[in-house]
Amino acid sequence: MKKKADIALSRNDLDWLILRPSLLVDIPGKGFVSLGPAEFHDQIAYADVAETLAELLHEPRIRQQILDNSIPGPHRSERPSRLTSVGLRWKSM
């Protein structure tokens, strides 16, 4: 059912963003995340998801995307305030 809703949403012109966090855990946030269209899923603190979502919602160039959100692997760690560094597709307004 969720997949059908994601497909329906992604096929319209609304301003939308789907954030898919890994396993949510109640631990202190680390202040940095792994964020992109296809990320390995491990776990992530509620606080890190909230901070990431707040950053993304105020970034008008990130629209109509489905993004995975997890703790960073050994190869990558980006702070949410440095979203331009994580290789996202920017959409013009």
Side-chain angles (χ1 to χ4, degrees):
M1 188 64 117
K2 181 176 178 334
K3 183 68 169 181
K4 286 182 181 181
D6 289 354
I7 291 169
L9 182 64
S10 69
R11 293 184 177 170
N12 69 52
D13 293 331
L14 294 173
D15 187 6
W16 58 268
L17 171 68
I18 297 172
L19 185 64
R20 292 184 176 154
S22 294
L23 175 66
L24 294 167
V25 291
D26 192 14
I27 59 174
K30 296 184 181 298
F32 52 90
V33 300
S34 180
L35 178 68
E39 296 295 324
F40 290 105
H41 278 230
D42 189 3
Q43 65 182 21
I44 190 166
Y46 290 106
D48 286 336
V49 173
E51 183 180 352
T52 301
L53 187 55
E55 284 277 336
L56 291 172
L57 290 175
H58 290 93
E59 177 48 69
R61 297 175 294 174
I62 298 178
R63 304 175 37 212
Q64 298 178 330
Q65 293 185 64
I66 299 172
L67 301 171
D68 289 343
N69 188 206
S70 186
I71 60 169
H75 63 285
R76 186 161 145 196
S77 64
E78 298 295 337
R79 296 193 178 281
S81 61
R82 294 176 44 210
L83 292 174
T84 55
S85 302
V86 297
L88 301 177
R89 295 185 330 255
W90 298 111
K91 301 252 181 174
S92 58
M93 295 288 289

